[in-house]
Structure formats: structure tokens, C-alpha cells
Amino acid sequence: MLENLLHAPWVELIFVVIAGFLIGLEIKAHRIHTESHREIGSVRTFAFISLIGYIFAKMNLYLYMVGYIAILTHLSLFYFFKLKSNRSGMILFLLSTLVYSFGIVVVTYNIWFLLIIFVAVVFISNLDKRLQHFYTIFDEREIETFAKLLLLSGVILPLLPQEQISEIIPVSYFKVWLAVVIVSLFSYVGYVLKKYIFNDKGYLVTGILGGIYSSTATTLVLAKKASSNATPYLFASSIVVATTLMYLRLLGIAFAFNTEIAYKLLIPFIILTLISGVIVLVLYNKSKHEKADTLGENEDKNPLELGTAFLFAFLFIVMAILTHFVLSQYGDLGLNILSFIVGFTDIDPFVLSLLSSKFGVSVESVATAILIATGSNNILKALYAYLFSKNKAGMLSGVFLLVLGILTITAGFIA
């Protein structure tokens, strides 16, 4: 019944005209705020353009094309004279052609598609002020770096062989570079959110986004900042929340590479996430009476730098070789000891090598190794938190990170 009603010509006509009217209203409001009155058309003009577009599209495609050419000719003439008065903005002309297309969109597709286009037009039209701020902080070199990674992942990745590299390196070149791409993209999402969207939004947000990017680096930065700050509970909650997000990040990476191992890690990581989340809430509630300053400038390194990507690939292969040697010589016990030691470095290459390589060990053994490495990495962060702050914030976060580290390692032996 509703579907038939939405396809009724009179309902389509109403939606098209209202959408055109609202776009005209948006343009009118912009003119008032910018004191730009010497522009073509009024609110009614855009309502009429949308109405003409719908009628012509409903009657005949050729008639619709004739109407489009007529409007385009009129706008071109207006733009010609506009250029003569040293004005070159094209937004009005683009919006006019979009409004004219509302009719054929509804006729060809449906009202829902029109609403999506309408929302997109309104959203993009109001981006100008936000973009002005973005232009001042954006580093154009990051586009070049991102383009390089897209080239390497979209062009080179499919060409890499999927056979095992050698007997002592039980992983393919394809899996190595796939690991680089996925981990880099996980980190890049956190990096972009932190630098461009939630920049200077508070310490807790820094901890959350830093956990997606690098929980160890975030712990180090916040601990240094905490050393000269009198807000221990706020900093402690921000440091611990980075580890909370680390659990979710590692779980996401596990699901991307090996669902069998990921399901084995699911319950321990979810429980540890909930425990650390409760700790964060308790600490943050205690911090509400504290007065904090701003984080200030903190130059994050783009995780998509090619040097970083190739270093990660090299470490990935080294970890695969080392893990293969330890397993062949010392078995599961050797793997567990190696996992604990690796936790005091960057654990991503080690975790990815376990998820991607074929070592001939059980799923349980791999899950245990990942949990042990994650736990010892928490112990490393506990040391960072205290040593680089040496105050109550460092003591609080250090104790809780140490507890989480012990719990994570214990979960590894239980899993």
C-alpha cells in the first residue's frame, strides 16, 4: 500500500517540488548571510525548475533534454556576464542542474533515492566553513602518501605470489603485504580521526582514538603530559582507554585474517574489554571534578609512510622466521616464552605472522600466544605510564595496566 502510494504521480510531484523549494530556501539563506543578492533566481525559481524537470521527464525524454539544454544555455549566459563582473562561483549553476534532475531521478528510480540526493546536496552545501578550518591544518603530502599505498595495495597486491615463500618462512608475499595494508589502514583511520576530526577534543578522546592508532605510543604521550598536570584520574582513564581500544583493534585484525582464531579470542578479548571499560568509567567519573588543560600540539606520524610500511613487512617476515625456529626447536613452551618477550616490542608484526602463517600448531596455541603477547605489552605500557609521569596518574594507570596485563596472560592459559 505504502509502496504504491509513493509511486503515485501526485506524491512524486509534491516531493520533487518541496525538495526544489528547500534547496532554493537554502540558497536564499546563504545570500542573506553573505549579502550576495545579485544572483539568478529566487526560492520559487528552484521550485519551478524542479517542477518543469518532473513534468518533462514524465512526458518524454527528448522533451526533458530540450529543457535541460534551455536551462543550461540560460545559466551559461548568466555565468558569462558574471565573469565579466569578476565573480566566478559555480555552485549556483551546479545546484540548478541538480534541482532540474530531481524529476528524472524520481521517475527513473524512486522517492528514496531523491531524498538521499537531497540530503547529500544540503550536507555538501554547508561544508564550506568546516572546510576552511580543515584547509589550515591539512598536510597535502598525506594525499600523495595515501595514493602510493593505494597503488601498492590495488595494483601490486594482486600480482604478488600466494605460494609459501620458503620452508622456514611459512607465509606468502601476498599475505605479508596484505597484513601491511590492513594494519596500516586500521592505524590510518585512528590517525585521521585524531588529527582532523577530533583534534583537541580532550584527553579521553585522545586515548580512544590513540588506541586505534597505537596504544603504546598514546600511553607514552599521555604519560609525559600527565607529569606536569594535576588531573590524575583524567589521565589514568585516558591511558587505560587506549588499551581498551587495543583489544577491539586486535580482535578486528584477527577476524580480517583468521576467523577460527578470532572466534577463539572473542570471549577473552570481550571480557577484557568490559573489565578495562569499567575501570575507565570509574576513573573518569572521579575526574569530573578535576580541571584539565588542553592537550596541545602533538605531531603524529602518518602510519601510511612507505618507510613504515616496508619496515613492518620486514619485521613480519623476521617474526615468521623466528616463530618457525622456536616452534621447531622448543614447541608450545618456546612459543609462549617468545610471545612474552615480543610483548615488550611492537606486537603487531608478531600477531599478524601468527594469524597469517602456517606453523602447524593448534588454534588454541596461537590464541594463547596472542593473549600472552598482548598481556606483556600491557605490562610494558604500565612501566611507561609510571616512569614517564612519576605521579598519581602514572601510579593509577600503571597499576590498572599491570592488572590487565596479568589478567590477559592468565586468559591466554585458560583459553
Side-chain angles (χ1 to χ4, degrees):
M1 179 67 181
L2 179 61
E3 190 68 24
N4 293 332
L5 180 64
L6 290 176
H7 282 290
W10 63 274
V11 174
E12 292 179 340
L13 182 66
I14 289 173
F15 269 90
V16 167
V17 171
I18 290 176
F21 179 83
L22 290 175
I23 295 296
L25 203 61
E26 177 75 16
I27 294 171
K28 183 71 173 179
H30 175 74
R31 288 178 185 169
I32 292 172
H33 290 138
T34 58
E35 298 182 356
S36 175
H37 301 292
R38 294 178 60 189
E39 297 287 355
I40 190 171
S42 62
V43 176
R44 292 175 301 167
T45 303
F46 288 92
F48 278 121
I49 289 174
S50 62
L51 176 62
I52 293 169
Y54 177 77
I55 293 172
F56 285 1
K58 200 74 175 174
M59 292 174 64
N60 187 280
L61 181 60
Y62 294 106
L63 186 60
Y64 175 83
M65 292 302 298
V66 169
Y68 179 75
I69 292 170
I71 289 177
L72 195 62
T73 303
H74 180 73
L75 291 173
S76 298
L77 288 171
F78 183 82
Y79 189 65
F80 174 76
F81 289 106
K82 185 177 181 179
L83 287 173
K84 284 192 169 184
S85 60
N86 295 321
R87 293 181 299 141
S88 58
M90 291 190 66
I91 294 295
L92 179 65
F93 311 108
L94 295 174
L95 288 175
S96 299
T97 53
L98 272 171
V99 168
Y100 183 74
S101 71
F102 285 174
I104 200 165
V105 165
V106 169
V107 171
T108 307
Y109 297 100
N110 51 47
I111 288 174
W112 304 117
F113 192 46
L114 170 65
L115 294 177
I116 292 171
I117 293 174
F118 173 77
V119 170
V121 169
V122 173
F123 179 77
I124 295 171
S125 299
N126 287 280
L127 276 179
D128 188 51
K129 288 184 179 178
R130 297 176 187 176
L131 287 174
Q132 291 298 328
H133 171 67
F134 179 76
Y135 296 148
T136 62
I137 62 173
F138 181 69
D139 185 354
E140 65 278 1
R141 292 173 296 178
E142 292 181 7
I143 292 292
E144 182 184 353
T145 305
F146 186 63
K148 288 177 183 177
L149 189 78
L150 287 179
L151 175 66
L152 290 173
S153 59
V155 178
I156 304 300
L157 183 63
L159 301 177
L160 293 174
Q162 300 196 30
E163 294 79 19
Q164 185 172 307
I165 297 172
S166 70
E167 191 174 327
I168 64 170
I169 309 177
V171 65
S172 66
Y173 287 112
F174 179 86
K175 281 290 185 71
V176 171
W177 194 249
L178 180 64
V180 172
V181 172
I182 290 181
V183 171
S184 296
L185 289 178
F186 263 91
S187 300
Y188 192 65
V189 169
Y191 168 81
V192 169
L193 290 173
K194 182 174 179 291
K195 185 170 183 179
Y196 295 114
I197 299 177
F198 295 104
N199 185 35
D200 198 26
K201 294 295 183 182
Y203 293 109
L204 191 68
V205 173
T206 299
I208 292 171
L209 299 176
I212 302 172
Y213 174 37
S214 170
S215 60
T216 305
T218 302
T219 299
L220 195 58
V221 169
L222 290 174
K224 288 179 178 179
K225 188 68 179 176
S227 64
S228 59
N229 227 289
T231 52
Y233 290 106
L234 177 60
F235 275 97
S237 63
S238 304
I239 290 171
V240 175
V241 81
T243 294
T244 304
L245 267 293
M246 178 202 67
Y247 288 127
L248 297 176
R249 176 176 180 267
L250 289 176
L251 190 59
I253 290 172
F255 271 107
F257 279 90
N258 194 314
T259 54
E260 191 178 2
I261 296 173
Y263 279 117
K264 192 69 181 174
L265 292 169
L266 181 62
I267 293 176
F269 271 163
I270 291 297
I271 291 173
L272 289 164
T273 299
L274 292 174
I275 292 172
S276 58
V278 170
I279 293 170
V280 170
L281 286 175
V282 171
L283 291 172
Y284 186 70
N285 282 332
K286 285 181 174 290
S287 74
K288 289 184 177 178
H289 302 293
E290 299 174 336
K291 186 177 180 182
D293 59 5
T294 58
L295 183 60
E297 291 296 323
N298 175 38
E299 188 63 31
D300 295 308
K301 187 178 180 182
N302 190 328
L304 294 190
E305 291 291 341
L306 293 183
T308 305
F310 286 120
L311 177 61
F312 185 94
F314 172 74
L315 291 174
F316 182 101
I317 294 175
V318 169
M319 287 299 172
I321 296 171
L322 187 58
T323 304
H324 175 78
F325 172 77
V326 169
L327 279 170
S328 62
Q329 298 296 319
Y330 306 104
D332 286 354
L333 177 61
L335 178 62
N336 291 341
I337 295 172
L338 176 64
S339 301
F340 185 82
I341 296 170
V342 167
F344 288 88
T345 62
D346 183 2
I347 65 171
D348 282 344
F350 177 69
V351 170
L352 264 296
S353 69
L354 289 174
L355 292 170
S356 304
S357 307
K358 298 177 181 178
F359 294 113
V361 292
S362 65
V363 171
E364 289 76 13
S365 296
V366 174
T368 297
I370 292 173
L371 285 163
I372 291 173
T374 306
S376 63
N377 188 251
N378 285 347
I379 296 173
L380 173 68
K381 287 181 287 190
L383 292 172
Y384 279 166
Y386 179 72
L387 292 175
F388 285 94
S389 62
K390 292 183 180 179
N391 57 16
K392 188 176 180 181
M395 188 177 295
L396 283 169
S397 54
V399 167
F400 284 120
L401 286 173
L402 180 61
V403 170
L404 286 171
I406 294 170
L407 287 176
T408 307
I409 293 172
T410 304
F413 288 106
I414 295 173

